[in-house]
Amino acid sequence: MSLCLICTHTAEPPRTACARCEHRIRGWLAEIPRQLVLLTASLELGTRPAQGFGGAGRAHSPLPVRADVLNLLGPAAPGPVRDTAGDQSDRQPVHAVLHAWADQLADDLGHMLPPINPSAPYADYLARHLGHAVRARWIALMHAELDDLIRRIRAVTTTEPRRDTLQAPCPACQAFALGRVDWETYIDCAACGQLLTREEYDAHRALVMPPLARIGILIAAHDHLAQEAS
């Protein structure tokens, strides 16, 4: 066993990031293209999407466009710019961050980057090859940059992914803490970190919920009889 370079939990060699951290990164890569639509709608002075994924607001700027949005939507550098040594100090636009890590990934894999997709600039490429990234020594740096990027984007669009709480208890720790966050691929337990596919959860729910429902009915009946007797 080895330790995840991001959260220091256990990771199966040759992985350098655990399954939960990979799951989180994959969710960010799915979210960013959707957030770019809201960022573009927020560019004009005094505007913000009337309804994002959960928020609304108004901003003021001395520029004819919002500087914070312009910084995020700015173009990427024309050539490879990588920060695997952690020396970068400026806060980079969305395109620059994604391009830099896509270029690093392509370099590791030994192939050329595909043409950029303007609606999802390299987010889809990074997601397709994330299985390699979570075995690289630079994965913690990539995670940190994407974490900072998604926080800056959400601060502008005032959106936060929703977490839907699910009924069944966790099969690993039995806590009622299973849920699924928008755009993430797995159901996770907030208590112990267990990850389940939708199919695994449905099978687990079908197994445990009928007995739990019967127990709930018996408890309710007992309480009702106890109240009548008193």
Side-chain angles (χ1 to χ4, degrees), residues 164-194:
D164 292 327
T165 301
L166 302 178
Q167 291 181 327
C170 174
C173 71
Q174 283 70 58
F176 285 89
L178 290 175
R180 184 182 179 276
V181 177
D182 287 342
W183 310 308
E184 294 191 354
T185 52
Y186 286 88
I187 291 163
D188 71 276
C189 176
C192 73
Q194 176 77 10

Side-chain angles (χ1 to χ4, degrees), residues 81-156:
V81 178
R82 295 190 290 270
D83 186 38
T84 53
D87 297 328
Q88 182 174 290
S89 58
D90 293 335
R91 307 187 86 185
Q92 297 295 305
V94 175
H95 298 301
V97 173
L98 297 180
H99 177 266
W101 288 111
D103 183 75
Q104 174 65 59
L105 187 54
D107 190 55
D108 278 18
L109 293 171
H111 61 223
M112 298 292 292
L113 276 176
I116 190 168
N117 177 356
S119 64
Y122 294 123
D124 53 349
Y125 176 82
L126 288 167
R128 282 200 311 273
H129 299 288
L130 192 57
H132 175 82
V134 296
R135 289 166 172 77
R137 301 301 300 176
W138 41 260
I139 186 61
L141 291 172
M142 175 178 158
H143 177 277
E145 286 196 11
L146 290 177
D147 186 17
D148 175 71
L149 180 65
I150 203 70
R151 289 174 188 274
R152 288 190 287 135
I153 291 172
R154 290 173 182 171
V156 171

Side-chain angles (χ1 to χ4, degrees), residues 188-202:
D188 71 276
C189 176
C192 73
Q194 176 77 10
L195 296 178
L196 299 171
T197 65
R198 186 75 214 191
E199 292 75 17
E200 289 170 338
Y201 171 77
D202 288 343

